[in-house]
Amino acid sequence: MSVTGNDRAAALRALHVPGSPLVLPNVWDAASARIVEAAGFPVVATGSAAVARVLGYADGHETPVEEMLAAIARITRAVGVPVTADIERGYGLEPAELVERLAATGAVGCNLEDSDPGTGSMIDPDEQAGFLAAVRAAATGAGVDLVINARVDTFLHGDGTPGARVADALERGRRYLEAGADCVYPLWVTDAGLIRTLAGEMGGPINVLFRPGTPSLQELAALGVARVSFGPGLHRAVQELTERMVADVAAGRSPYPLREG
């Protein structure tokens, strides 16, 4: 029996388990996607910032939607596991077209953020909940099972004390879950206590970005996190390594580490 897109979506959704998180080393092209799959990860996730840079654009809706979707399609064709795509805030597409065109790439999940990609200003939660509900309705109407990861940018762009930001993230996240999101992604939160509160009180699975200062993967599991993303971190590290190697070549040195024997 062949595996359908909806089968892949169901498999992706089932991997969001609080305490046993889905770990996603975000990729940027078909080659990096194959590396992640070969390492045994059950899902491949794209990162918009990394994909944008590979395509020659800045993050923040600067990539033409046709190029971003084509890049996602190349990644899905390269692997046999479910793919979830970071599509910022939808690149200006109406929900029905967004669902149709994303499904055409083969991706079965997506990230959708609640800040303006160009200015960083927070979107009104009513507007964002309405947008997510429209995406869910469009997917249901088209017979497409889509795993929606609703990004909450309160810790990145919001104001106020840590407690106020937690309260805002909880309010937003709960509304997004009610609107049809499957997971809530409070971006940029690193404090273990705040993560524990979010995981315990959200009412649905949460995604944490792994970056310097974040608790370890084992600690995030113990805090009740259901999904861990690496965002553009791996791509940045690869670029930094490339810069060092190119600098060695420019200086007349071998870019390759010496090996004994």
Side-chain angles (χ1 to χ4, degrees):
M1 181 182 296
S2 62
V3 178
T4 68
N6 285 357
D7 292 333
R8 294 179 190 278
L12 169 59
R13 185 177 289 107
L15 289 168
H16 290 70
V17 180
S20 181
L22 171 64
V23 178
L24 300 170
N26 298 73
V27 308
W28 50 93
D29 60 10
S32 57
R34 284 175 171 153
I35 290 171
V36 168
E37 181 183 37
F41 289 92
V43 172
V44 162
T46 72
S48 68
V51 174
R53 293 187 184 104
V54 167
L55 295 174
Y57 300 96
D59 197 25
H61 273 196
E62 294 295 321
T63 307
V65 63
E66 293 80 9
E67 293 196 43
M68 180 60 73
L69 293 174
I72 294 167
R74 287 192 293 272
I75 289 167
T76 62
R77 287 196 299 268
V79 297
V81 296
V83 173
T84 180
D86 181 359
I87 52 173
E88 303 193 55
R89 203 162 180 274
Y91 299 99
L93 298 179
E94 292 298 320
E97 184 179 4
L98 177 62
V99 168
E100 178 183 7
R101 296 182 66 175
L102 183 62
T105 71
V108 297
C110 66
N111 289 1
L112 290 168
E113 58 202 49
D114 68 351
S115 63
D116 185 286
T119 66
S121 61
M122 296 296 294
I123 303 297
D124 180 84
D126 285 337
E127 179 181 348
Q128 183 68 3
F131 174 58
L132 294 173
V135 171
R136 173 59 69 204
T140 300
V144 173
D145 189 8
L146 180 66
V147 180
I148 300 174
N149 191 32
R151 207 176 90 178
V152 176
D153 287 353
T154 300
F155 293 94
L156 179 64
H157 296 305
D159 298 317
T161 65
R165 293 191 184 200
V166 166
D168 183 66
L170 285 170
E171 180 182 356
R172 286 175 175 269
R174 289 165 180 161
R175 295 179 74 173
Y176 301 162
L177 290 168
E178 290 173 1
D182 297 282
C183 183
V184 176
Y185 186 7
L187 191 73
W188 225 248
V189 61
T190 58
D191 179 81
L194 300 184
I195 292 171
R196 181 183 292 108
T197 298
L198 291 166
E201 299 183 16
M202 187 65 71
I206 72 162
N207 183 172
V208 168
L209 175 68
F210 192 93
R211 63 189 185 95
T214 306
S216 70
L217 292 176
Q218 294 75 20
E219 289 168 331
L220 290 173
L223 293 171
V225 172
R227 173 168 166 165
V228 180
S229 300
F230 280 72
L234 298 182
H235 181 254
R236 285 193 187 125
V238 170
Q239 292 298 97
E240 289 170 2
L241 174 60
T242 303
E243 288 175 2
R244 292 196 296 272
M245 294 178 74
V246 170
D248 283 336
V249 174
R253 299 187 297 267
S254 170
Y256 307 115
L258 294 176
R259 295 182 180 177
E260 296 181 0

